[in-house]
């Protein structure tokens, strides 16, 4: 049974082929309207994702069906993947009819059923091992990227493979790949690696495009231009219909979660050859993008808006994590996106998809921060919030006080946290979709609680997010629903029948029909169709097989004589349990303090001021159940004051007097939590010991390697340190006005070496001062009054490398220390003819 068309969430994309007009605009053949499609990459049929599902005992088809359902719930309508040709070919390029190809076929069929359009990249040039060993047997296992376009055998293998891949018939859809209407285009190959001369690059691109067209395929052919910007003219000269780009605005693989305001990094996507007629005549596609190592749910909407401003008509994130393995984030741990495990970030993708479709191609809204509100969207770094607000739709990634534009006409609501129309006590995402007057479909995901940094080194043996199935309070304030609305479970096994009291009801994860008093809902069965789903469809991970968990980072310092508030994430506590903080002034006075629950899985306690005299504060969190007592960190049986509690794990934080320096960076402690990178092609970083045995960060500018051309002048320094310190100020906030100087301790390999020190605010406004260091280790002090407005260096460096490296706001108010949160130290020296130059940095502190 199909519901009335008024219940459709989004209009279906036009059926049939697309073409590129003479102005380089991708259009639907039927109706000739512009194409605008937004979505994800997803890799379960191949490589690590395929093997991980095997190891976990999860059927691949089941996993694909559940994940594609979630993609449909998130409103995406585009899918792209670089096919691991190494797993479906032999070394001669013959297509192998195996499990990987079958699963790709199944995935394509599932995407079709959900109305999601597809662009495939048949050639990946990757072997299949990462992060494990390689086992692929195809031509990409014997030819490197540089051989792929120069070795005649490699070229022949690719032509043979493209011919067979395009002529492959999908057993699920019965369509040849070249004729499949929902595969709207092909990108020839993924991130090739070229060098000059350009003529042979153009010849190879033309030959590959011709191999596709020779099959009879008339779909647009795209080619990557951003991976090799030094030979971009070779691709502009190629006989292809579109060009592909990627965007990793703060690089990849930092090894930890990045903190701070990265919105300026995604404020615009500039293309150096954007006025070239060879470029403007071709369609534009973002094949991969991601806010790598960032969990904040604010980046995607900005990226979507910037893509549209730059004229892109297709954008697909890399890569959506399969639900079965998202608990560990092993699918390229620098990325993390899944509806169940990263609900706020997933809803930011939903909002970004809406932005991509609403914002016109080429439309601009100015520059950050003026464009934090654009069209129907609002993005706030300070609130960790992305929103979409129209008369029909209201979406948000965190609790918000924003009033819906027209609550009486709402058709769709989705959120994490609470809003004026939904108050929810859990941490998972929820969706409300209007089915008829006074009847809504409610979908509630389980609670997701972070328990580790998801961007650290990954393992299938290490969960980073915990899933819990709880009954949570839900209050709805929709005009159509009275205070006694009814709730009926729809998904398999959900037999819930409940009635609200004063607009509130307890819900567990699942799907429900919500109806006003007196409304008949018999027609809304689990098999009734709605948009691209059935009403009773539901997919969610089982509860994580872990006991109680605590996530907590101790304050870097706290002020003496002030009470100390300790807040932590704690799972596994029931209303009948007790939670305590055991605080000890090193081996001195010890107190046991009750912890209160401030929101789901969040507990806190306040250590009194009379215990906060200068020294070292040590503490533990104790969860006391009826028949068990657990102490954290560690989750050990017993409690710290037991005579036989022998575990040494504890948290600690220094209690310091008012005049004590506040470290912003310490090389001996902060290695795993800062970003230290070379920016020039000849630069790198290391950690070394000084003659006194102290650890120092070394920023190095080296000479060009043999046969490497001397690096051209760059727009940035040789190398840089970026250190987030906002959390370090929190424990001494009452003293910030007393700090007057920044102290930097370091040395340089050459006399009179200029070093720039930069402080950056929560609004990404930068202030800098320069000091001179020489060969002897020394501490130099810079008055805060000496810092002047400056451009912000965007490090880690944006990729592709032609993107801007600096951001300069239109307005820079006077420096306020309370607003600061990021430190940069910039090492800017030219590359020597031989050897290297370096800067050794021990510490930077406020004094």
């Amino acid at each position: 049974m199909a519901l009335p068309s008024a219940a459709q969430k989004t209009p279906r994309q036009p059926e049939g082929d697309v073409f590129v007009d003479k102005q380089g605009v991708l259009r639907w053949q039927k109706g000739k309207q512009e194409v605008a499609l937004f979505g994800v990459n997803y890799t379960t049929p191949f490589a690590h994702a395929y093997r991980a599902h095997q190891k976990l005992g999860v059927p691949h088809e089941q996993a694909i069906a559940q994940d594609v359902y979630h993609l449909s719930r998130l409103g995406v309508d585009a899918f792209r993947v670089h096919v691991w040709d190494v797993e479906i070919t032999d070394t001669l390029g013959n297509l192998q009819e195996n499990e990987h190809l079958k699963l790709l076929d199944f995935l394509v069929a599932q995407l079709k059923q959900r109305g999601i359009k597809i662009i495939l990249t048949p050639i990946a040039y990757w072997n299949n091992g990462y992060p494990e060993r390689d086992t692929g047997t195809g031509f990409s296992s014997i030819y490197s990227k540089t051989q792929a376009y120069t070795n005649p055998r490699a070229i022949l293998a690719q032509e043979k493979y493209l011919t067979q891949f395009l002529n492959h018939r999908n057993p699920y859809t019965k369509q040849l790949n070249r004729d499949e209407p929902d595969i709207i285009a092909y990108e020839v190959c993924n991130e090739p690696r070229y060098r000059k001369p350009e003529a042979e690059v153009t010849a190879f691109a033309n030959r590959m495009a011709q191999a596709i067209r020779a099959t009879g395929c008339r779909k647009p052919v795209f080619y990557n231009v951003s991976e090799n910007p030094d030979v971009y003219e070779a691709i502009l000269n190629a006989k292809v219909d579109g060009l592909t780009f990627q965007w990793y605005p703060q690089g990849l693989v930092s090894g930890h979660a990045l903190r701070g305001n990265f919105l300026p990094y995604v404020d615009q996507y500039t293309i150096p050859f954007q006025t070239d007629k060879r470029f403007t005549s071709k369609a534009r596609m973002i094949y991969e993008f991601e806010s790598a190592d960032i969990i904040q749910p604010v980046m995607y909407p900005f990226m979507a808006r910037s893509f549209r401003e730059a004229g892109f008509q297709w954008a697909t994130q890399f890569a959506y994590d399969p639900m079965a393995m998202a608990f560990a984030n092993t699918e390229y741990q620098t990325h993390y996106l899944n509806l169940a495990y990263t609900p706020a970030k997933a809803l930011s993708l939903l909002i970004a998809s809406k932005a991509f479709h609403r914002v016109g191609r080429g439309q601009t809204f100015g520059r950050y921060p003026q464009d934090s509100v654009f069209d129907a969207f609002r993005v706030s770094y300070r609130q960790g919030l992305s929103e979409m607000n129209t008369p029909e739709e209201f979406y948000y990634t965190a609790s918000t006080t924003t009033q819906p534009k027209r609550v009486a006409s709402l058709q769709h609501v989705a959120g994490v946290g609470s809003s004026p129309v939904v108050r929810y006590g859990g941490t998972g995402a929820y969706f409300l979709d209007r089915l008829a007057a006074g009847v809504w479909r409610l979908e509630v995901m389980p609670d997701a609680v972070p328990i580790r940094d998801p961007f650290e080194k990954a393992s299938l043996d290490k969960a980073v997010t915990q899933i819990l199935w709880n009954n949570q309070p839900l209050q709805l304030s929709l005009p159509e629903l009275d205070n006694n609305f009814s709730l009926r479970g729809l998904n398999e096994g959900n037999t819930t029948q409940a009635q609200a009291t004063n607009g509130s009801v307890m819900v567990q994860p699942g799907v429900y029909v919500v109806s006003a008093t007196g409304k008949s809902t018999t027609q809304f069965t689990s098999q009734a169709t709605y948009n691209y789903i059935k009403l009773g469809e539901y997919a969610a991970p089982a509860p994580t097989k872990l006991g109680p968990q605590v996530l907590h980072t101790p304050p870097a310092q706290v002020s003496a004589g002030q009470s100390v508030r300790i807040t932590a994430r704690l799972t596994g506590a029931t209303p009948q349990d007790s939670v305590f903080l055991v605080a000890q002034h090193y081996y001195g006075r010890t107190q046991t303090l009750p912890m209160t629950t401030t929101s789901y899985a969040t507990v806190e306690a306040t250590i009194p001021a009379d215990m906060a005299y200068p020294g070292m504060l040590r503490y533990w969190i104790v969860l006391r159940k009826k028949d068990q007592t657990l102490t954290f960190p560690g989750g050990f049986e017993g409690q710290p004051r037991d005579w036989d509690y022998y575990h040494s794990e504890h948290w600690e934080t220094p209690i310091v007097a008012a005049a004590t320096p506040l470290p912003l960076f310490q090389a001996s402690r902060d290695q795993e939590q800062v970003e230290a990178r070379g920016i020039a092609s000849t630069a790198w970083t290391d950690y070394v010991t000084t003659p006194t045995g102290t650890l120092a960060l070394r920023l190095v500018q080296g000479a060009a390697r043999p046969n490497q051309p001397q690096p051209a002048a760059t727009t940035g320094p040789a190398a840089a340190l970026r250190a987030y310190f906002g959390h370090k100020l929190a424990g001494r906030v009452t003293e910030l006005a007393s700090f007057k100087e920044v102290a930097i301790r370091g040395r340089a390999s050459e006399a009179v070496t200029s070093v720039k020190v930069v402080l950056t605010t929560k609004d990404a406004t930068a202030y800098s001062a320069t000091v001179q260091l020489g060969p002897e280790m020394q501490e130099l002090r810079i008055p805060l009054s000496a810092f002047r407005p400056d451009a912000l260096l965007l490090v880690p460096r944006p990729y592709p490398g032609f993107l801007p490296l600096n951001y300069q706001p239109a307005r820079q108010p006077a420096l306020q220390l309370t607003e600061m949160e990021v430190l940069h130290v910039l090492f800017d020296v030219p590359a020597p003819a031989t050897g290297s130059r370096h800067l050794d940095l021990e510490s930077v502190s406020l004094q």
Side-chain angles (χ1 to χ4, degrees):
M1 165 193 142
L3 298 179
S5 59
Q8 298 297 306
K9 183 178 179 184
T10 54
R12 287 179 178 268
Q13 292 293 341
E15 300 295 336
D17 292 334
V18 299
F19 71 99
V20 179
D21 69 15
K22 293 181 180 180
Q23 287 72 45
V25 180
L26 190 66
R27 297 184 182 276
W28 298 104
Q29 286 281 6
K30 185 177 181 179
K32 306 298 186 289
Q33 64 261 49
E34 292 185 16
V35 174
L37 297 166
F38 186 90
V40 299
N41 288 248
Y42 170 79
T43 67
T44 289
F46 303 107
H48 171 69
Y50 173 84
R51 297 189 301 269
H53 283 79
Q54 280 187 316
K55 182 176 181 180
L56 296 167
V58 177
H60 294 90
E61 291 88 350
Q62 171 190 307
I64 289 170
Q66 290 180 334
D67 289 328
V68 174
Y69 167 70
H70 280 169
L71 295 179
S72 182
R73 290 305 287 129
L74 291 173
V76 305
D77 52 15
F79 167 83
R80 178 263 182 189
V81 73
H82 57 65
V83 177
W84 268 263
D85 55 275
V86 76
E87 291 190 320
I88 61 170
T89 65
D90 62 16
T91 57
L92 299 177
N94 292 302
L95 188 66
Q96 305 295 295
E97 298 282 344
N98 59 20
E99 182 70 9
H100 300 291
L101 184 60
K102 179 183 176 183
L103 288 172
L104 176 62
D105 291 336
F106 180 77
L107 173 58
V108 167
Q110 288 289 308
L111 293 165
K112 276 179 63 69
Q113 290 178 21
R114 305 293 185 179
I116 297 173
K117 303 304 180 184
I118 302 160
I119 293 181
L120 293 179
T121 305
I123 302 173
Y125 294 135
W126 299 115
N127 213 311
N128 68 343
Y130 181 87
E132 302 148 289
R133 65 182 182 87
D134 292 330
T135 59
T137 57
F139 60 82
S140 290
S141 69
I142 62 172
Y143 300 116
S144 68
K145 285 188 179 186
T146 53
Q147 292 172 321
Y149 80 103
T150 56
N151 185 303
R153 291 191 182 91
I155 295 171
L156 286 172
Q158 291 169 85
E159 286 179 320
K160 181 181 292 184
Y161 164 60
L162 287 172
T163 300
Q164 295 182 18
F165 185 83
L166 270 290
N167 285 320
H168 167 70
R169 189 176 298 278
N170 186 319
Y172 299 97
T173 66
K174 311 305 180 185
Q175 294 275 1
L176 297 175
N177 279 346
R178 61 180 165 87
D179 295 331
E180 168 55 61
D182 288 301
I183 300 177
I184 66 168
Y186 285 92
E187 181 195 26
V188 173
C189 53
N190 181 74
E191 299 180 354
R193 185 169 297 151
Y194 300 138
R195 57 178 179 268
K196 293 185 177 182
E198 293 172 335
E200 60 182 347
V201 177
T202 302
F204 175 77
N206 287 341
R207 193 164 168 178
M208 293 300 103
Q210 179 55 30
I212 291 176
R213 294 179 178 127
T215 67
C217 179
R218 295 296 174 259
K219 300 177 186 298
V221 176
F222 284 76
Y223 212 93
N224 185 303
V225 70
S226 60
E227 188 73 4
N228 302 271
D230 53 329
V231 294
Y232 76 90
E233 295 216 38
I235 308 304
L236 295 188
N237 289 328
K239 296 175 182 178
V240 296
D241 305 294
L243 302 171
T244 71
F245 297 75
Q246 78 278 67
W247 200 8
Y248 294 116
Q250 66 289 327
L252 294 166
V253 197
S254 290
H256 58 267
L258 296 176
R259 293 176 290 179
N261 186 348
F262 286 91
L263 289 176
Y265 290 60
V266 291
D267 191 45
Q268 57 182 322
Y269 193 102
T270 58
I271 302 170
F273 42 83
Q274 59 190 7
T275 59
D276 191 306
K277 291 183 179 179
R278 295 167 298 174
F279 170 73
T280 57
S281 65
K282 294 178 172 64
R284 307 171 201 180
M285 164 186 169
I286 292 287
Y287 67 96
E288 291 179 11
F289 72 89
E290 175 62 300
S291 55
D293 302 310
I294 291 178
I295 204 68
Q296 304 166 21
V298 297
M299 300 289 279
Y300 291 154
F302 250 50
M303 297 178 83
R305 188 216 64 223
S306 296
F307 290 147
R308 294 299 282 155
E309 181 181 7
F312 290 101
Q313 295 180 260
W314 173 285
T316 37
Q317 179 267 355
F318 190 93
Y320 186 83
D321 285 86
M323 185 174 70
M325 49 193 289
F327 72 93
N329 193 29
T330 61
E331 172 78 337
Y332 301 97
Q333 86 278 2
T334 196
H335 311 276
Y336 198 27
L337 175 67
N338 179 271
L339 174 57
Y341 287 89
T342 66
K345 193 172 181 182
L347 285 193
S348 78
L349 187 83
L350 183 158
I351 294 167
S353 179
K354 295 291 183 179
F356 195 84
H357 289 87
R358 284 182 64 99
V359 172
R361 182 174 54 86
Q363 186 175 5
T364 185
F365 295 90
R367 300 274 63 90
Y368 182 77
Q370 288 79 18
D371 55 355
S372 295
V373 178
F374 62 97
D375 194 78
F377 305 93
R378 182 169 78 94
V379 175
S380 171
Y381 161 70
R382 289 175 180 258
Q383 294 176 270
L385 176 65
S386 297
E387 286 180 345
M388 176 183 177
N389 192 356
T390 73
E392 296 80 27
E393 297 174 286
F394 186 40
Y395 307 123
Y396 44 91
T397 63
S399 291
T400 179
T401 58
T402 299
Q403 291 290 333
K405 184 152 288 189
R406 193 179 303 152
V407 67
S409 63
L410 281 174
Q411 303 291 311
H412 310 286
V413 178
V416 174
S418 296
S419 73
V421 290
V422 181
R423 296 194 61 83
Y424 181 59
T427 60
Y430 51 84
F431 301 83
L432 277 161
D433 298 290
R434 188 176 185 270
L435 305 178
V439 183
W440 293 69
R441 180 184 189 266
L442 168 68
E443 183 169 359
V444 180
M445 295 298 292
D447 294 316
V449 182
I451 57 175
R452 289 185 180 88
D453 187 331
F455 304 114
E456 296 173 349
K457 190 169 184 177
S459 168
L460 285 171
D461 295 326
K462 183 184 78 171
V464 299
T465 303
Q466 189 174 12
I467 295 293
L468 301 107
W469 286 55
N470 298 299
N471 285 328
Q472 295 286 10
L474 173 75
Q475 183 178 32
L476 301 180
S477 300
L478 293 166
E480 290 186 341
L481 298 176
D482 55 291
N483 284 339
N484 302 111
F485 62 81
S486 298
L487 202 71
R488 173 168 61 87
L490 270 182
N491 57 297
E492 185 178 354
N494 186 355
T495 59
T496 300
Q497 297 273 354
Q499 186 171 17
T501 302
N502 295 325
S504 297
V505 68
M506 298 296 292
V507 295
Q508 63 180 353
V511 176
Y512 304 86
V513 169
V514 180
S515 57
T517 302
K519 288 286 182 180
S520 173
T521 63
T522 54
Q523 63 175 311
F524 301 106
T525 67
S526 63
Q527 297 302 305
T529 57
Y530 163 74
N531 204 7
Y532 295 108
I533 68 176
K534 293 180 179 178
L535 290 187
E537 283 193 86
Y538 185 68
T544 310
K545 293 182 179 178
L546 292 172
Q549 300 289 312
V550 171
L551 179 63
H552 171 69
T553 301
Q557 290 180 349
V558 294
S559 299
Q562 304 277 342
S563 59
V564 182
R565 187 172 65 179
I566 301 296
T567 301
R569 284 273 200 176
L570 168 67
T571 64
T574 70
Q576 294 75 38
D577 300 333
S578 301
V579 185
F580 298 93
L581 182 77
V582 178
Q584 182 183 70
H585 198 281
Y586 206 65
Y587 291 119
R589 182 182 174 194
T590 302
Q591 275 192 273
T592 299
L593 305 164
M595 301 195 80
T596 59
T597 299
T598 56
S599 60
Y600 174 69
T602 302
V603 294
E604 70 173 40
T606 300
I607 299 170
D610 61 5
M611 195 174 175
Y613 53 91
M616 184 64 73
L617 175 67
R618 309 199 313 171
Y619 56 95
W620 302 258
I621 292 174
V622 178
L623 172 60
R624 189 176 298 160
K625 293 178 169 291
K626 181 179 179 181
D627 54 359
Q628 184 185 42
T629 299
L630 298 175
T631 292
F632 298 89
F636 301 115
E637 292 271 1
Q639 51 188 336
R641 304 188 81 168
D642 292 343
W643 73 270
D644 58 349
Y645 187 84
Y646 59 88
H647 303 285
S648 60
E649 288 86 346
H650 63 276
W651 290 292
E652 65 181 29
T653 188
I655 307 171
V656 299
T660 306
L662 173 60
L664 305 182
F665 167 73
Q666 293 173 289
S668 60
R669 300 188 60 168
D670 295 336
Q671 307 99 304
E672 303 302 321
Q673 295 299 321
V674 299
E675 298 79 56
R677 306 279 178 92
I679 298 173
S681 61
T682 52
W684 67 93
T685 62
D686 199 355
Y687 282 89
V688 300
T689 51
T690 67
T692 61
T694 306
L695 200 65
L697 168 65
R698 175 165 287 184
L699 307 179
V700 187
Q701 170 68 293
R705 296 182 294 275
N707 302 319
Q708 179 188 18
Q710 193 71 16
T714 63
T715 57
L721 161 72
R722 179 186 182 277
Y724 176 84
F725 62 79
H727 61 301
K728 296 183 178 182
L729 301 186
R732 302 191 62 189
V733 66
T734 60
E735 302 173 48
L736 292 183
S738 66
F739 290 107
K740 304 299 181 185
E741 298 173 319
V742 173
I744 177 171
R745 181 170 175 79
R747 65 178 183 180
S749 56
E750 298 181 358
V752 197
T753 297
S754 293
V755 178
K756 183 182 284 190
V757 181
V758 185
L759 300 177
T760 305
T761 71
K762 297 170 187 175
D763 295 323
T765 303
Y767 303 83
S768 73
T770 301
V771 296
Q772 309 289 332
L773 288 175
E776 298 298 321
M777 185 62 67
Q778 58 184 313
E779 181 176 281
L780 299 177
R781 298 192 177 194
I782 313 167
L784 287 173
S785 59
F787 282 79
R788 296 289 181 266
D790 200 351
L792 171 65
L793 180 71
L794 303 182
V795 289
R797 200 195 201 297
Y799 192 83
F802 55 69
L803 292 168
L805 193 56
N806 294 286
Y807 159 72
Q808 184 85 51
R811 188 180 69 87
Q812 291 181 275
L815 184 151
Q816 289 183 279
L817 191 55
T818 54
E819 290 293 296
M820 299 299 161
E821 63 174 12
V822 174
L823 164 76
H824 289 87
V825 178
L826 312 183
F827 179 55
D828 189 8
V829 295
T834 60
S836 64
R837 299 177 170 125
H838 64 260
L839 165 69
D840 292 341
L841 184 65
E842 278 191 12
S843 65
V844 180
S845 62
L846 287 173
Q847 301 199 10

